[in-house]
Amino acid sequence: MQRWTQREIVVVAAIGVVFGVVYLAWVQAWLFARPFIGPLSLDIFFGLWCIASVVAAYVVRKPFAAFFAEMVAAVAEVATGNPAGLILLITGAVQGAGAELPFALTRWKRYDTAVLVASGASAAIFSFVYTWIRFNYGALSPGLLVVMLTIRIASGILLAGLLGRYVARALHRTGTLDGLAIDADRRIAA
Amino acid sequence: MPPDRALAGRDLTVRFAGAARAALDRIDVDLAAGSVLGVLGPSGSGKSTLIAALLGVIPELVPATAGGTVAWGDGAFAPPSLAAGRAAAAVVQQDPDGALVALAVADEIAFGLESDGLPAAEIDARVAAALASGPAAGLLPDAETLALSGGWRQRLAWAAALALRRPVLLLDEPFAHLDPQAASVASDAIRTARAAGTATLLVEHRADLVAGLADQLLVLDAAGRPLLRGPAAQVLAEAAERRGACGLRLPAAVLVAAALRRAGLLPEDAHPADAAALIAALGPRCQDPAVAAVTARALDQQPRAMATPGPVRVALGDATVRRGGTTILSGVDLTVCDGTILGIAGSNGAGKTTLGLLLAGGLRPSAGQRCAPPGPAPLVVPQNPALAFASGSLREEARRRGVDWAAAATRISAAGLPADPDRNPLRFSQGERRRLAVALAAAGGASRLILLDEPQAGLDGPSLAALTADLLALRRDGHAVVVVAHDLDWLASLADDLAILAAGRIALAGPVAEVVGRILDGTAPVPVPPGLALAAALGVVPLKDAP
Amino acid sequence: MTPRDPLARLAVAFGAFVVVTLAPRPATSAVVFALLLALLLGPACVPLRRILRGLTPFAFFALTSAWIYAVAPDPTYGAIGGTGWDAALLVTVRTLCVGLISLGYVLTTPAAGLARALVHRAGMPRRIVCGTLAAVQFLPGLAEELRMARLVARAALPDQDRGGRIIVAIRRWAAGLGPTIIVTLLAGAMRRADTAAIALELRGVAGPGQPTPWRVARFQRDDAAFAVLSGLVLAAVAILTWR
Ligand SMILES: Nc1ncnc2c1ncn2[C@@H]1O[C@H](COP(=O)(O)OP(=O)(O)OP(=O)(O)O)[C@@H](O)[C@H]1O
Ligand SMILES: Nc1ncnc2c1ncn2[C@@H]1O[C@H](COP(=O)(O)OP(=O)(O)OP(=O)(O)O)[C@@H](O)[C@H]1O
Ligand SMILES: [Mg+2]
Ligand SMILES: [Mg+2]
């Protein structure tokens, strides 16, 4: 197992902190949209709350990068006054574990688009199970549940997997990631 | 075996990935215990790279190919390693923002001591000592490091390095952001460390500070190769003789002595290193008008054309700024006109950066008002040049500023920097980044307010002269230029109006001749700078503007 | 009695959190809110202004949630139960109480103290805790960077003022605030991460040997007393208001 360097630790923590603030802004956007979109708003907005893990894993490509980034994002959210409060630490852990699963299954070797998309989807599934328990989804009609799950997975794929990959490649073009694992895709820089 | 050698480097070479030439080319370094080695050289000559190479930061943490060996104390020569470097040396890094790792002052000083595993009582004692005397004296133990000003961050980094009490001290331009009073406290800290047997490697552009401290000097040329080496006074005198002074910012006394020698007013063999020695060497001829004329020309204090102030660009009325619950600026009345240069000076934490941001519209006053006529928005060259860049290439930086690449390229090459559109602004040294930020600001079009925060920090001789020419050109083009700086000598020779800040209030403001007069007769809250003091001692009437 | 151990207080905060989340009636949250507010304003002497400023996001969240429950009960939130105004009240009071617990903990716990407790007592690796602490320190610097980026973008706006004053003001305000703002902030964070990592390595964060446990808050008598007392109070409030 490759050992983390101090730079990689601070890079992933920094990604978590920056996205922690972005998550806070996205929560406000969700609150505005919720009265208009109604019950499915959480599932539609869900994806962006897992983008930190995809960006961190894609940049650093070391074991547990996704989980660590999501945990730091959750800590940053609590520190900057997110309305969900301390429970966010558990939410962050669940989403981080979900995002980490596809990378673990491929033994942290493959970071192509398929694995990143799988990471978004897996985070959505983990989150769905967690909110099922927390908000007693059992009381809902099965038809609604299926719709909610598919929307959440789609949101995870789009806003976490694909958008995360796009943000990471744009970040690489600024030249601040030289020497990290993402640098291996030399063609990005060209 | 040399007298207890503290540090020796042999054939240190560094080449950055994708760089045309080696940043450091076969450098030898010798540093004896209880001595100070000054390392000077133009911007981009590899001084910071030398410190990083000695410590093993290159290649372990920064991707580059490195060669050469280093020996700490009387250990054997071996390729540089971070573990050995960290155990033997304490470092003050060039970028004070990046060097702080803790959130409170006491935790910052204690961080290195905790890593060393010192007993807790010893840590408490050293932290208390560091806050009682030395560069960080006066800071509260649980003050937030994030709310410190640029200068105070550097003083805290100093205190943290000194508290480690390592046999070797590596300082990378430690005086860049310090005000004169803090600089003298820091110089005393170096002297006490030297007396205690610590070996200090001091990288600094302000040769007036290095001249008083260094026993030996090593001067690098622009290509990272050794140019001059030897005792301090002799090396400085030799540098003064050479054209362009090897890119160094020489002390006022050495400059004037060289000019007087050329004019035959000083014997050839007299090499005074500081003002007192020069005045002693001149003896009765101190009042000789010929000496005064030569001195005025050498120190750039000649009378110059009055600036014709244009319309008011920005005016502050009784402005007050509060941040984080503390009042930083109060009751500030100031106007800046187009086609003039306003200099803002004052001690660390006086509020200069805050006043600059207030003038440039980056900060809104908590009380009072800021009125500026409609027009193009102000341009800012921040105190930490890295803040000015946010993209991956110079072409993108020009696009962000709405400047076409051709205009930007001419300005960049005029500043002596490679105008390669795809080069990343991060791939430059600190001084080069500052010149880059100023060049991109100068490339901007319409008449507007341009704020430069400590632009002279970390610049070598030619770059400072180029910067002065740039600022005078901006003034001629009708821009309103605001320059925040600690170096009063340079500010007095450049600005049309001066404002001296003390504890968030304007203590003294007005035309430069009047303010300099008040400084020389000691009624201003800033110490008399060396250049002006020497000029006054040699009968130069300060800044008579052309009739 | 000054409870200094951050880990014990974290446990108490989580305990209060569980009680408030599971309580079916708003009275529990209201009582816990009042007690905690008194505790913060009194012995912990946290200024009221900072508490109010900290509570605004929670108040905003509570109001929008309450409005939804009052107008269109959201089937996905079955755990709330009930419909209409009493569900809205329950959500509001609970969110405010959760907010105050979180805020109370953040305002009374110095981050460095918590970090050292995590390293020396919870055994977390120092490289990770100090790396995260350094990363949290980037935020004010990034706010400064955002200010500079917006100044540069505003300066790049074409100089002649097309359109009315309001359009110019809006364009000037929005300059530099596009979606690329995330990449700009991330680039600044990455640059700071490099220098911070070098500074941490030079200061021996992964140094040989164990770091000294300096100023680490231990679990003392005061902490035990605080934990027991708050446990009793929570139990009493739960029992009295649960029925
Ligand atoms: N974000 C902030 N929050 C609270 N206080 C601050 C903040 N930024 C600066 N200050 C305080 O404002 C005062 C002035 O800061 P400023 O940076 O303007 O000083 P300065 O004159 O530029 O100092 P220097 O010469 O060291 O750069 C300082 O005491 C500093 O502690
Ligand atoms: N990370 C880097 N990657 C590529 N080139 C670099 C890097 N850092 C510095 N350089 C180049 O190496 C040379 C030496 O840089 P260095 O920072 O050592 O100069 P310096 O003497 O410290 O200059 P200054 O006095 O301005 O700080 C410069 O030409 C710079 O452009
Ligand atoms: Mg340097
Ligand atoms: Mg400043």
Side-chain angles (χ1 to χ4, degrees), chain B residues 100-535:
Chain B
L100 299 184
V101 293
L103 294 174
V105 165
D107 303 336
E108 181 66 39
I109 297 175
F111 192 90
L113 308 173
E114 289 174 85
S115 311
D116 289 353
L118 295 173
E122 174 70 12
I123 295 179
D124 284 328
R126 289 197 189 181
V127 168
L131 295 180
S133 68
L139 280 180
L140 297 175
D142 42 22
E144 279 180 42
T145 49
L146 300 174
L148 294 178
S149 74
W152 276 106
R153 281 171 183 275
Q154 191 156 49
R155 292 160 85 157
L156 181 58
W158 262 85
L162 290 171
L164 288 168
R165 296 191 186 148
R166 292 284 200 270
V168 176
L169 203 54
L170 303 178
L171 308 172
D172 194 351
E173 294 196 35
F175 296 100
H177 297 287
L178 301 191
D179 61 46
Q181 186 262 341
S184 66
V185 168
S187 306
D188 298 342
I190 292 185
R191 289 193 190 90
T192 39
R194 173 172 50 187
T198 308
T200 307
L201 188 140
L202 172 61
V203 169
E204 182 54 55
H205 282 297
R206 290 164 55 174
D208 52 345
L209 294 167
V210 173
L213 286 167
D215 310 310
Q216 296 284 327
L217 280 184
L218 167 63
V219 179
L220 304 181
D221 67 9
R225 275 192 296 275
L227 188 65
L228 295 173
R229 189 193 297 271
Q234 182 202 335
V235 167
L236 281 178
E238 201 176 322
E241 302 305 331
R242 292 178 176 226
R243 205 182 55 74
C246 322
L248 304 185
R249 266 165 67 179
L250 293 171
V254 175
L255 272 176
V256 170
L260 290 175
R261 276 199 299 274
R262 274 196 294 276
L265 296 165
L266 195 65
E268 279 309 314
D269 56 7
H271 292 289
D274 56 29
L278 175 59
I279 291 170
L282 280 172
R285 301 174 67 127
C286 273
Q287 303 313 331
D288 179 344
V291 166
V294 168
T295 306
R297 203 172 333 99
L299 291 181
D300 195 11
Q301 300 285 4
Q302 288 131 314
R304 47 180 165 56
M306 274 290 289
T308 53
V312 172
R313 170 56 55 183
V314 66
L316 294 180
D318 190 21
T320 302
V321 172
R322 269 186 293 280
R323 282 177 87 172
T326 53
T327 304
I328 296 171
L329 285 179
S330 49
V332 170
D333 297 293
L334 199 61
T335 54
V336 185
C337 304
D338 281 354
T340 64
I341 297 180
L342 166 69
I344 300 178
S347 62
N348 287 136
K352 306 183 292 300
T353 300
T354 313
L355 177 56
L357 281 178
L358 192 57
L359 287 169
L363 269 176
R364 254 184 299 281
S366 316
Q369 78 276 0
R370 166 189 186 272
C371 39
L379 261 170
V380 176
V381 177
Q383 184 165 0
N384 176 356
L387 286 181
F389 305 108
S391 68
S393 71
L394 294 184
R395 176 186 291 116
E396 179 59 20
E397 282 303 320
R399 192 199 58 72
R400 272 181 70 217
R401 288 168 171 73
V403 173
D404 64 281
W405 173 244
T410 43
R411 285 280 177 167
I412 292 173
S413 30
L417 294 165
D420 156 16
D422 296 327
R423 180 146 180 197
N424 189 323
L426 299 173
R427 295 289 163 274
F428 289 96
S429 79
Q430 286 278 339
E432 288 166 342
R433 273 190 220 160
R434 204 176 289 284
R435 286 154 52 200
L436 201 55
V438 173
L440 285 170
S447 153
R448 57 184 64 179
L449 175 82
I450 295 184
L451 166 74
L452 302 105
D453 198 346
E454 312 271 1
Q456 91 297 341
L459 290 193
D460 55 39
S463 315
L464 191 59
L467 174 69
T468 309
D470 256 357
L471 296 183
L472 293 176
L474 287 176
R475 183 182 74 166
R476 209 175 34 255
D477 297 348
H479 294 272
V481 182
V482 177
V483 181
V484 172
H486 287 301
D487 187 344
L488 258 179
D489 281 333
W490 176 64
L491 212 50
S493 71
L494 175 75
D496 303 309
D497 305 293
L498 270 180
I500 311 281
L501 268 174
R505 291 187 167 283
I506 293 196
L508 180 62
V512 64
E514 177 197 319
V515 172
V516 165
R518 290 280 300 277
I519 292 175
L520 287 177
D521 60 33
T523 56
V526 275
V528 184
L532 288 179
L534 181 62

